[in-house]
Amino acid sequence: MAEVVLVVATTSDAASATPAAAFLDMPGWKPGPAIPDGVESFANGRVRLLRHARGIVEEDDLDLRWEAATGERVSEVVLLSRHTAVSNRPALTVHPIGVPHLREGDVPPQGGRPGWAALPNPRIGPWLRLLRRIAADRGLVPEFEITLEGTHHGPVTNRPTLFVEIGSTEEYWGRQDAAETVALLLWKGLGLGEEASVGNWHGNGEKVLLGIGGGHYAPRHMDIVM
């Protein structure tokens, strides 16, 4: 069974739809199959871009649903979304997902399942470093903060997962330069150009860092990752 990477976007969020459109403007895309519940797809090598119209944290088990509909095994999931912050500071963020702090019977405010966390995508650290380089090269730093967030929110997934987000207000969610930066992160990170993909991990003795603690942000963990 072929293994593919799912990149998931929603048309209901400018910070998701605009990077997805910029990604689709890059070479090599062709239409893919639609799957039930109004999810359209596009294919480029082993990458599948899925696009729907609902909230990004609401569509659970898209990896399993894709496998059932197409017969392609999903190796990992990348989701594109907006980021909000009390500071309103423009930001580009990367983070794992899940709500392990919630107890059975709690209602997750932003998707997921109480006590659950997604498998973290091994690309999180390498992509955070790559994102900072791309953003700096494109002149978004220091206007935009490049940051690592802690585990929070859904949707439920079953494969290694990460979120890439644009923040932190409506003024920035649709910024074309930020969207193109995220698209370039996906392009380079997934190896769609001439260079190898970034952040592959095969369990072959490379060290793994597990960070515990912090709040919405994890500055000490981020310093180590950087």
Side-chain angles (χ1 to χ4, degrees):
M1 185 186 295
E3 281 203 345
V4 298
V5 178
L6 295 189
V7 177
V8 182
T10 173
T11 57
S12 67
D13 174 5
S16 184
T18 313
F23 195 30
L24 288 173
D25 281 341
M26 294 175 164
W29 291 100
K30 59 184 180 181
I35 65 172
D37 301 317
V39 181
E40 63 177 343
S41 74
F42 305 86
N44 193 340
R46 58 183 290 267
V47 178
R48 305 290 180 263
L49 175 63
L50 274 56
R51 191 163 60 184
H52 60 76
R54 290 169 290 281
I56 198 75
V57 301
E58 298 171 14
E59 284 291 330
D60 290 340
D61 299 315
L62 270 175
D63 43 8
L64 299 185
R65 289 157 58 192
W66 180 262
E67 291 179 355
T70 67
E72 294 180 327
R73 187 181 187 281
V74 175
S75 61
E76 59 188 284
V77 182
V78 179
L79 298 106
L80 308 178
S81 177
R82 73 177 61 179
H83 171 71
T84 58
V86 174
S87 69
N88 291 335
R89 181 176 179 182
L92 299 169
T93 82
V94 176
H95 72 85
I97 64 169
V99 284
H101 59 290
L102 296 183
R103 298 182 178 183
E104 187 174 351
D106 290 345
V107 178
Q110 293 181 297
R113 188 170 58 236
W116 163 88
L119 295 165
N121 192 317
R123 299 187 194 275
I124 289 172
W127 277 28
L128 183 66
R129 295 188 290 271
L130 177 60
L131 178 59
R132 176 171 280 187
R133 289 198 297 272
I134 294 172
D137 289 346
R138 297 180 65 84
L140 291 185
V141 177
E143 180 187 11
F144 279 75
E145 182 179 20
I146 314 302
T147 190
L148 175 71
E149 297 181 78
T151 300
H152 63 300
H153 69 62
V156 174
T157 61
N158 307 272
R159 303 289 182 258
T161 300
L162 68 86
F163 258 69
V164 182
E165 301 185 350
I166 299 174
S168 297
T169 64
E170 189 171 358
E171 176 185 355
Y172 301 103
W173 293 332
R175 274 268 295 260
Q176 189 63 31
D177 51 357
E180 291 171 356
T181 296
V182 171
L184 191 55
L185 172 71
L186 296 169
W187 181 263
K188 289 179 173 288
L190 294 174
L192 288 176
E194 297 179 356
E195 301 173 3
S197 62
V198 176
N200 290 316
W201 180 76
H202 305 291
N204 55 358
E206 295 174 284
K207 290 182 178 179
V208 176
L209 300 181
L210 173 63
I212 298 174
H216 192 150
Y217 302 97
R220 293 182 181 178
H221 301 153
M222 186 176 72
D223 286 347
I224 295 169
V225 170
M226 289 299 188

